[in-house]
Amino acid sequence: MLSFLKKDVVVLLRDRTELLVLLLMPIILTVILGFALKGMFAGGFTSFDMKVAVVDHNNRNAGVEQFTEEVRQLSIPVEAKDQLIKAAESSEPSAMLMNMLEDEELGQVMETEKMNENKAEEALDDGEVTALLKIPENFTYLTLKRMLLDQGKGAELEMVEGKDSSLMSGIFYDTVERFVRTFNFETAIAQAADGTEVTSKLSEGKQDDLGGVITVTDQEPISSIEYYSIGMAVMFAMFVASTIASKAYVENYQNVFSRILLSGKHPLLYLSGKAISTTVLVFMQLVLLFGMGRLLLQAFADNSWQFWLGMLVIGAVFSLCIGALGALLTAITVKSESNVVPGIFAGGIVTVLAMLGGSFFPVSGMPALFTTLGNWTPNGIMLNMTLQWAQGLGTSYILPLIFRLLLLTVVLIAVSLLIFSKRRAA
């Protein structure tokens, strides 16, 4: 077994171009992506040129007065009426919405201007504004009636996006949608509390959820350099599997595999040798990349030796999984006697897996199917594990991901053995 490992290591060391790609390219991409996308991880806003028009058909005072008049006609105690009227005055939805849009922090990326409807539509057509938000008539009254009396259907906000600014319009839509969700959520909590006072972050003017970084531990948020140090390392680890499979094709073409069989070695020793070689090479690659990231880029500079010990364990489990992936690619390559599979895997499949797993950008805001698939890719599991470990989460959070990675390893080994056995039978 050691002879197979030594052979694969020596062959890879002789291919200096491949070796430089596997070791230097992750560092280069980490530096480029880390500095280029620094704003995504810094807890602040990226600079956008966004202007939004607001058309307000609502009369706040009239809505509150209409709601107050209706409450006074209800057959409920006077104290309950006073509480409802007080809640309506302090939680007027239109004012809360405008406070959110005119928030100082949000104002760094978005300028809000009130316009009449004709002027706003002209500005939208001319591209002077990114999107148009319409607050309908009786918005205050209908919303308060639904929120505090649980009557009616409430009111709806209408948004019209510009023709050539779908990205910016999408950002504005998400901002308004988040406000509506938070508003409805706090309303549901207040109704469930049955009169108990509930503190509203929206009514206090706090917009902590608009672009900030939220962490559940006392650790500092992950920096862009640290994120891409992990993301690029796990992506280029998969290239090792395709490289080992490509070398297996060359060996099969040069009858090296046949000579190994003639020497009396069991065929499965060759396959297991490829798996072990891939595992060892990936582990060495991770140690070198994280070591260079720590020394050259100051990634994870404040972490203790317990963190690095845990990283070794996580890296070892991940290396086993990539070793199983290398065995699968090797089995397919030897069976097909073609170098097409490793080429397709390195040329396209790795990129898809990297995108699903979050190597290029965080996938937490992507559709559910996207994130679900990413959570079952080897690189996605490794990335999530490392990020959670770096944030100080305990082993209870890490163990389920380790078991998932081991399960994936077993499946890959089983499939590779099945394919390789069929090749021997043929």
Side-chain angles (χ1 to χ4, degrees):
M1 193 69 68
L2 290 177
S3 59
F4 289 121
L5 174 60
K6 181 180 178 181
K7 172 182 65 67
D8 290 330
V9 172
V10 170
V11 170
L12 185 59
L13 289 176
R14 288 177 178 176
D15 191 348
R16 296 181 180 179
T17 302
E18 190 75 28
L19 194 62
L20 288 175
V21 169
L22 294 176
L23 294 180
L24 290 185
M25 191 59 71
I27 295 293
I28 295 173
L29 289 177
T30 297
V31 173
I32 294 174
L33 294 174
F35 285 104
L37 303 178
K38 186 176 181 180
M40 293 178 59
F41 300 85
F45 287 107
T46 305
S47 177
F48 291 118
D49 184 15
M50 189 191 317
K51 186 176 181 180
V52 177
V54 177
V55 177
D56 192 355
H57 295 297
N58 177 57
N59 188 324
R60 302 180 190 175
N61 295 330
V64 173
E65 290 178 4
Q66 184 178 358
F67 177 79
T68 301
E69 202 60 39
E70 187 168 325
V71 168
R72 286 173 178 165
Q73 297 176 4
L74 296 175
S75 300
I76 58 176
V78 177
E79 293 182 357
K81 293 181 181 180
D82 293 339
Q83 288 182 358
L84 288 172
I85 294 172
K86 183 179 179 181
E89 294 173 349
S90 62
S91 302
E92 197 279 307
S94 179
M96 293 165 64
L97 174 61
M98 293 308 302
N99 287 339
M100 185 272 293
L101 294 177
E102 296 171 356
D103 180 73
E104 181 179 354
E105 187 177 1
L106 189 60
Q108 297 177 18
V109 296
M110 182 176 68
E111 179 185 353
T112 304
E113 182 178 348
K114 288 187 176 181
M115 303 180 182
N116 61 54
E117 189 163 0
N118 292 332
K119 183 180 178 181
E121 290 178 349
E122 290 178 2
L124 189 66
D125 292 336
D126 296 338
E128 297 177 4
V129 296
T130 301
L132 166 61
L133 178 66
K134 295 182 181 180
I135 304 177
E137 295 181 9
N138 296 323
F139 176 76
T140 296
Y141 167 69
L142 293 175
T143 305
L144 289 175
K145 187 176 180 181
R146 174 63 180 172
M147 178 177 70
L148 298 177
L149 300 181
D150 197 20
Q151 297 178 1
K153 297 182 179 180
E156 293 183 355
L157 297 170
E158 180 183 355
M159 198 196 93
V160 183
E161 67 177 34
K163 298 179 181 178
D164 302 322
S165 53
S166 58
L167 175 61
M168 300 298 181
S169 299
I171 294 173
F172 177 63
Y173 177 84
D174 291 340
T175 303
V176 176
E177 184 184 37
R178 182 172 294 183
F179 167 83
V180 173
R181 285 181 179 178
T182 306
F183 186 85
N184 292 338
F185 179 68
E186 293 185 353
T187 298
I189 292 178
Q191 291 175 350
D194 194 20
T196 304
E197 183 177 356
V198 178
T199 302
S200 172
K201 291 171 67 177
L202 290 173
S203 61
E204 292 174 359
K206 297 180 180 178
Q207 304 299 328
D208 296 337
D209 58 340
L210 297 174
V213 176
I214 301 175
T215 176
V216 296
T217 70
D218 57 357
Q219 298 285 337
E220 290 294 325
I222 293 291
S223 68
S224 57
I225 291 294
E226 292 170 344
Y227 181 89
Y228 285 110
S229 294
I230 306 168
M232 293 300 103
V234 298
M235 181 180 77
F236 277 85
M238 292 186 290
F239 283 112
V240 177
S242 63
T243 300
I244 293 296
S246 296
K247 302 300 182 184
Y249 165 75
V250 174
E251 293 173 352
N252 191 44
Y253 178 77
Q254 296 176 347
N255 295 318
V256 174
F257 180 64
S258 299
R259 291 197 296 270
I260 291 174
L261 296 181
L262 290 174
S263 66
K265 301 289 185 181
H266 196 282
L268 290 181
L269 285 177
Y270 178 80
L271 184 65
S272 58
K274 292 297 181 183
I276 294 175
S277 298
T278 306
T279 300
V280 173
L281 290 171
V282 168
F283 186 77
M284 292 170 59
Q285 181 192 43
L286 292 177
V287 171
L288 289 173
L289 291 178
F290 285 132
M292 287 191 289
R294 170 65 181 85
L295 296 175
L296 301 179
L297 305 177
Q298 297 298 305
F300 307 107
D302 299 329
N303 294 93
S304 63
W305 65 268
Q306 290 95 337
F307 165 79
W308 291 108
L309 184 61
M311 286 290 290
L312 290 176
V313 175
I314 293 172
V317 177
F318 175 69
S319 300
L320 285 173
C321 187
I322 300 300
L325 179 61
L328 176 61
L329 293 176
T330 299
I332 297 174
T333 301
V334 173
K335 184 180 187 302
S336 62
E337 297 183 352
S338 171
N339 200 28
V340 173
V341 173
I344 294 176
F345 183 82
I349 297 178
V350 169
T351 303
V352 174
L353 292 176
M355 188 175 298
L356 289 173
S359 292
F360 297 134
F361 50 82
V363 296
S364 55
M366 301 299 291
L369 178 61
F370 196 96
T371 55
T372 300
L373 292 174
N375 288 334
W376 280 97
T377 61
N379 55 304
I381 299 172
M382 171 65 173
L383 184 61
N384 286 333
M385 266 198 301
T386 310
L387 291 177
Q388 292 185 17
W389 184 250
Q391 280 294 289
L393 299 179
T395 54
S396 59
Y397 292 89
I398 307 300
L399 284 178
L401 295 175
I402 290 179
F403 290 142
R404 185 184 302 178
L405 204 56
L406 291 175
L407 175 62
L408 192 58
T409 302
V410 172
V411 171
L412 291 173
I413 290 176
V415 175
S416 62
L417 289 175
L418 181 63
I419 294 173
F420 201 71
S421 299
K422 286 185 177 180
R423 188 264 174 201
R424 289 170 53 205

